Amino acid sequence: MLRELRSWPTLLLVLFCLGVGIPVTVTLTPSQDLVAFGQHISVGARPPDLSVAGPARLVQVGNTALDVDRMHVYGPLRPELTMGPVQRNAAAASVFDPSDGPQARDEALSAVTGGFLTWYVLGGLGLIAFTITAAAGAAGLRTLVVLRRQSRTHGGDHEPLHEIFSYCVRAARRMTVIALVTAVLAWLVSGALAVGGTVSGLRGVTSLAQLVGAYHLTPDPVGPPITGYDGAVIGDSRAVRLGGPPVPDATPDDVACARSTDSLAAEIGHLTSAQVLNLACPSATITSGLRGPQDQGGRSVPPQVGVLKQAQDLRFVVVAIGPNDVGWTDFLRYCYGVDDCSDRLTQGEFDYRLAAFDRVYGDLLIDLNDLPGSPQIIVMTSYGAFPPDADCADTRAEGYPGLNPEKIDLLTDRNEQLNAVLVAGAQKYGFAVAHPALGLLCEKGTDGLGPDLQGMSEPFPFHPTGIGSLRMASSVVRQIEPPPAE
């Protein structure tokens, strides 16, 4: 066996298994799916390089790859965590709970470590298979070399064939054993170093931001200081009240955003005798409207949060956002236009958009939490449009299938999922939540005030009417904290 260790075929085989076998094993071993910190994560290893040590890596699908410097690993096995857009849910929030937090962190640590160990065992089996295959090939080549050498002996004075065969079998056995032992030892040492680096890096981590580092860029203040207002409204067309009377002495932004005299901000002011600044704009999303500029009405409207930062001494801020971020109109039109809109393709698209909204919503919440003067924040949920058994002119579209109870149930469920994200984020920061209770389309009103939502025959279907805007304001006013006593 000692002589075999010095033979060049065995040395080449060992080097091949270490230099090629381990990288191939790392590349081909499938990542293991798990849940940690309320996120769906796949655990594997990043492709090895020639460095002695390096960080683990977090890959966010469709976005970027981040080195996790906290998890610094020696050797070729450096963990790689792959995840989709960050989910905000109860499991993610539980790490901040004083009673459940320690257990949640321990479970997350166990899940990530266990997932990597599973990947590691599968990789070890793959390396063993690779080594055996390589050893078989090396043994075959070695046998051919021996046979060729023996065939060149003078006068055919070579060893008997059975002795040649016996020698080749023993040599193949020895080189296979040496290659397997070396590969397994290298894999065990690499695994121990990787697990040690993983556990050490995850110890004490309470969030993904702490794991990979946090970076938050907030909108800059825009324009001159604004005074004389008690509150403000930011958001989309639901808060604008599309179709209402235009405001007098309108600014260019008021005109571009079609802000009306019976908007959510105006109605809150009427109910509370407060001065309320209206910054909402139709088609606004968090990224294009609230946290970034928005092209609307032939004008670049500045970020609503940027303008909001210039408002002095606000007591409250109302936030109406969400449907535009998930492209609600796309799903609504689709359900009107096809016989069955519950296909998995559009469901997957909705899930993706909701997860993306969840992420940018988190950035908005940070902005709101850091507003000057710390005003009260009130997040308004998205109202529904139809009762479960709705069947009227507003559920029909000429030339198209229209809506039925199954489609309405699907749309209602998706709206509830959106609201769950809105509520969960607000609760995390201790913000208030307003749930507007509007009369739905196809329902017959009983108070004689008219419908709360515009129907399909009106200019802005599914948007609130004047009375609907008043009901929305009523739900918000109930959440506004009274001003401090003087």
Side-chain angles (χ1 to χ4, degrees), residues 106-297:
D106 290 343
E107 289 176 353
L109 173 62
S110 176
V112 174
T113 305
F116 184 76
L117 286 173
T118 300
W119 177 92
Y120 170 72
V121 170
L122 292 176
L125 296 176
L127 181 59
I128 290 174
F130 180 93
T131 303
I132 292 174
T133 302
L141 290 175
R142 187 173 185 175
T143 300
L144 291 176
V145 171
V146 170
L147 290 175
R148 184 175 181 182
R149 184 184 303 147
Q150 290 292 323
S151 67
R152 291 183 175 180
T153 56
H154 295 288
D157 189 19
H158 56 72
E159 299 291 334
L161 287 178
H162 69 276
E163 292 185 8
I164 296 175
F165 177 76
S166 178
Y167 167 80
C168 292
V169 169
R170 292 195 303 271
R173 187 183 300 120
R174 290 193 299 267
M175 69 189 304
T176 301
V177 170
I178 291 172
L180 278 173
V181 170
T182 304
V184 170
L185 286 176
W187 191 255
L188 289 174
V189 171
S190 299
L193 293 172
V195 172
T198 301
V199 174
S200 176
L202 289 174
R203 187 174 292 117
V205 172
T206 59
S207 69
L208 283 170
Q210 190 176 5
L211 182 65
V212 301
Y215 179 75
H216 179 76
L217 184 63
T218 187
D220 293 328
V222 177
I226 302 172
T227 59
Y229 290 96
D230 303 296
V233 173
I234 60 174
D236 53 31
S237 54
R238 296 169 299 156
V240 168
R241 221 305 268 173
L242 282 176
V247 296
D249 302 321
T251 67
D253 287 346
D254 290 334
V255 174
C257 293
R259 293 165 184 159
S260 68
T261 58
D262 54 1
S263 65
L264 177 61
E267 297 295 4
I268 293 173
H270 294 155
L271 293 174
T272 61
S273 299
Q275 295 296 315
V276 184
L277 176 64
N278 186 10
L279 298 176
C281 198
S283 303
T285 65
I286 290 177
T287 56
S288 177
L290 273 69
R291 302 191 73 244
Q294 176 186 357
D295 292 330
Q296 182 69 23

Side-chain angles (χ1 to χ4, degrees), residues 53 62 64 84 112 182 218-219 248 261 268 310 318 341 355 394 396 426 439 458 466:
T64 188
V112 174
T182 304
T218 187
T261 58
I268 293 173
Q310 292 294 74
V318 181
C341 59
D394 291 319
R396 307 183 191 107
E458 297 179 81

